[in-house]
Amino acid sequence: MRDFKKFEVWQLSHQLTLKIYTSTKNFPKEEFFGLTSQIRRSFASIGYNISEGSGRNSDKEFANFINIALGSSNEAENQLILAKDLDYINENDYQNFLTELIILKKKLVTLWNRLNGK
């Protein structure tokens, strides 16, 4: 059994999720059940899928969860764009989040490729 906490992709996703939770505290109160909740869930979902997949018995199963984590990262990116366009986060924060998310996505692809023997 793999220890998900040792995977760099999980560590990066966890740190990014913590930053998103802090940043979204400043979102408008009327967005609490809307974008605030959704963006938090999509970022958290990346780490959830890494951790769940790491507990699976085969590389193939783990790779499937990494693929789902990639889907969540795309959803998170879309929500970042929306938050920026609605002026809930400033351009600098957006760029910082996006840079970290892109690094995470690249590392997820690398891990997916490794698990699939590519």
Side-chain angles (χ1 to χ4, degrees), residues 7-101:
F7 284 90
E8 183 183 14
V9 288
W10 181 84
Q11 295 167 7
L12 292 172
S13 72
H14 183 68
Q15 290 305 310
L16 191 51
T17 300
L18 293 174
K19 291 175 186 177
I20 285 293
Y21 266 75
T22 299
S23 178
T24 56
K25 287 180 183 177
N26 300 321
F27 280 21
K29 297 299 177 215
E30 66 268 13
E31 284 290 352
F32 185 75
F33 295 107
L35 184 59
T36 303
S37 175
Q38 195 64 31
I39 197 170
R40 287 176 173 184
R41 284 187 307 204
S42 63
F43 274 90
S45 179
I46 300 167
Y48 295 159
N49 280 290
I50 295 166
S51 62
E52 184 174 354
S54 71
R56 299 301 171 132
N57 292 324
S58 70
D59 285 353
K60 182 179 178 182
E61 287 180 291
F62 189 16
N64 185 53
F65 280 90
I66 296 302
N67 193 43
I68 295 167
L70 277 166
S72 294
S73 69
N74 283 331
E75 180 182 359
E77 184 176 350
N78 183 65
Q79 291 160 352
L80 273 179
I81 294 166
L82 182 58
K84 178 187 64 85
D85 290 348
L86 292 169
D87 293 322
Y88 295 166
I89 58 174
N90 64 43
E91 182 67 30
N92 188 54
D93 288 343
Y94 168 77
Q95 289 299 329
N96 289 334
F97 286 134
L98 185 61
T99 298
E100 289 184 51
L101 186 59

